[in-house]
Amino acid sequence: MTSTVESIGVVEPGSPRYRELLAFIAEGASARDLADENPHQQIDALRRAGFGALRLPKEIGGAGLTVRETFGVIIDLAEADPIVAHILRTHYWFVEERLREATAVDYAGYDSDRWIQLILQGKIFGNASSERGAQAVGNFKYGTHLTPHTDGYLLDGEKFYSTGTLFSDYVSIWADVDGVAVASVIVPTDRDGVTIVDDWDGIGQRRTGTGTTRFQKVHVTDDDIVSRIPLDAAPDPSYQFAFLQLYLHGLVSGILRNVVSDAKNLIQSRTRGFAHGPTEELHRDPLLLNALGTLASTAFAAEATTLAAADAIDTAHASLNNGVPDAALAANASLRASEAKVHIDEIATRAATVLFEVGGASAASRAKNLDRHWRNIRTITLHNPAAYKASAIGNYVLNGEPLPFNGYF
């Protein structure tokens, strides 16, 4: 299928154009996974359809979606292709941050916000935060550093897990400033000194561009620096990391829809069962019906849990005052996103295994590529250990200990 999407404004979720776009992305998704093919055309189609501006207010040219509505789109997109949906994770987080900052100004402020104008133009923002090395994950200490230069700064360092950056126009970087602060820096991906290496070799989510990004004497101006956060400063309440983490479960929820569809298709395509089975009519086999019903229930539970947690983020967003949310509401958003992970991780990986039980030995055919669901879900769930999340939640429930404040909560 050839995309017929044109640059005619932000696509409306649920519209014929929206459904056409999702069909274009879904077509060949499994084949792209088998062939290890990057979805450049699919990302370009989303760019032209204004997908990057779904959360921006209608008054300035966005779609004005709530967080819950945005997660509904993320789930739809992940059902079409979880690789494509994952590529946009940092972009949607970046948009969320711009909206948070914009609460300190009126709509006139949007016109002067460089980043929001770029988002409205269809620019995509990627990620370069995490680093390999001995530092504990999530402690905001980075080897990538920003140093003063004659006409600005120089950025040097190496990042990994740079999801989406290979497909992006700009990249968001966390960098050390003299060991006393962390700077959030945005630079174009084609700026001199930026090197993007497509070297992610994970078992799942393979073509998300989740590889190495290197920065060698990259020129940075004051306008490229979004914020500087002193390492010894008490952090403001925040729901930004809850959004980032919940996004992963939007991906899993979309994958689970596919698990249900593939399970149904497997049962319908089978022409024989076992001599010792309960019935020769496989569409009436109570064991297969039970498995399919369980999978459908799992998909529903995952999606409902994700959207309920998105409601908590919406509530925290509505409480913003000069860019800072109500502390209790922000903490609740973090809690709900964490609880969603602990629940969804377990039921989703199990569901991706049950899928094979409705298809028999032929379901293991490489050509069917049904293992992609398990590989993708398992890779997504490895972003942070569910056991640590469950322990932190238990400590909060029993002892009133706040959840940790870092990029994983």
Side-chain angles (χ1 to χ4, degrees):
M1 175 180 178
T2 300
S3 174
T4 59
V5 177
E6 303 292 342
S7 297
I8 54 173
V10 179
V11 68
E12 181 181 349
S15 66
R17 181 169 166 241
Y18 178 80
R19 293 191 294 271
E20 175 193 347
L21 180 59
L22 291 179
F24 168 67
I25 291 168
E27 185 172 4
S30 177
R32 288 193 297 272
D33 180 88
L34 274 174
D36 237 9
E37 178 184 333
N38 283 321
H40 286 290
Q41 291 183 355
Q42 288 70 30
I43 293 297
D44 286 344
L46 291 175
R47 187 196 312 273
R48 294 193 300 274
F51 251 62
L54 292 176
R55 276 281 287 146
L56 294 183
K58 288 184 178 180
E59 291 86 343
I60 62 170
L65 300 190
T66 64
V67 173
R68 180 188 179 94
E69 290 167 340
T70 301
F71 270 87
V73 171
I74 292 164
I75 293 169
D76 287 346
L77 190 56
E79 180 183 15
D81 188 343
I83 307 299
V84 171
H86 201 163
I87 287 167
L88 296 176
R89 180 185 177 219
T90 300
H91 176 85
Y92 283 122
W93 166 80
F94 182 72
V95 173
E96 205 63 31
E97 278 296 277
R98 303 281 59 75
L99 288 173
R100 181 183 64 79
E101 293 285 349
T103 61
V105 298
D106 58 19
Y107 280 130
Y110 287 115
D111 295 333
S112 61
D113 188 302
R114 169 191 179 191
W115 308 114
I116 285 180
Q117 293 306 309
L118 288 170
I119 292 165
L120 289 170
Q121 293 169 23
K123 302 301 183 183
I124 301 296
F125 291 77
N127 148 69
S129 299
S130 298
E131 298 178 358
R132 287 170 159 169
Q135 289 286 355
V137 176
N139 68 1
F140 298 112
K141 294 182 180 180
Y142 300 106
T144 301
H145 54 275
L146 195 65
T147 55
H149 195 250
T150 53
D151 57 346
Y153 308 86
L154 293 179
L155 178 69
D156 292 275
E158 181 173 299
K159 300 288 188 176
F160 197 63
Y161 303 116
S162 304
T163 302
T165 298
L166 183 69
F167 306 85
S168 300
D169 304 287
Y170 290 82
V171 56
S172 171
I173 310 119
W174 288 103
D176 172 79
V177 182
D178 298 329
V180 298
V182 172
S184 174
V185 181
I186 311 291
V187 299
T189 53
D190 61 357
R191 183 168 288 181
D192 288 346
V194 178
T195 303
I196 301 169
V197 186
D198 194 8
D199 58 348
W200 168 240
D201 64 350
I203 60 171
Q205 297 299 98
R206 292 206 23 89
R207 307 321 307 170
T208 55
T210 305
T212 300
T213 306
R214 298 191 182 100
F215 305 94
Q216 185 173 16
K217 299 188 184 310
V218 178
H219 181 248
V220 173
T221 69
D222 284 324
D223 288 341
D224 297 328
I225 300 175
V226 177
S227 64
R228 299 173 196 251
I229 305 172
L231 290 174
D232 60 356
D236 287 331
S238 173
Y239 54 82
Q240 62 171 317
F241 301 125
F243 183 97
L244 265 176
Q245 295 307 315
L246 188 64
Y247 194 103
L248 299 172
H249 307 302
L251 300 178
V252 172
S253 297
I255 294 171
L256 287 173
R257 285 185 184 175
N258 264 323
V259 168
V260 176
S261 296
D262 282 346
K264 177 182 176 181
N265 292 337
L266 278 173
I267 296 172
Q268 290 177 328
S269 65
R270 287 181 63 174
T271 57
R272 62 174 184 167
F274 288 90
H276 51 284
T279 176
E280 292 184 1
E281 296 181 292
L282 295 182
H283 67 287
R284 300 292 184 188
D285 187 316
L287 299 181
L288 297 180
L289 293 176
N290 180 281
L292 183 58
T294 299
L295 291 175
S297 301
T298 298
F300 169 77
E303 184 168 337
T305 301
T306 298
L307 294 177
D311 284 336
I313 297 176
D314 260 324
T315 302
H317 174 79
S319 74
L320 285 170
N321 182 12
N322 198 27
V324 180
D326 175 84
L329 295 178
N332 187 61
S334 178
L335 174 65
R336 297 311 177 205
S338 298
E339 290 173 329
K341 175 184 173 59
V342 172
H343 174 61
I344 293 173
D345 278 13
E346 180 179 356
I347 64 174
T349 50
R350 186 168 66 245
T353 298
V354 171
L355 169 62
F356 290 93
E357 297 177 9
V358 305
S362 63
S365 166
R366 189 72 187 99
K368 284 187 170 66
N369 198 25
L370 296 176
D371 63 300
R372 75 186 188 280
H373 300 314
W374 185 91
R375 288 187 288 104
N376 288 333
I377 289 173
R378 197 67 190 99
T379 300
I380 290 168
T381 60
L382 291 174
H383 277 68
N384 52 88
Y388 285 150
K389 282 284 180 90
S391 180
I393 293 167
N395 199 19
Y396 166 77
V397 172
L398 185 62
N399 301 314
E401 183 71 24
L403 297 180
F405 183 87
N406 61 46
Y408 294 87
F409 285 88

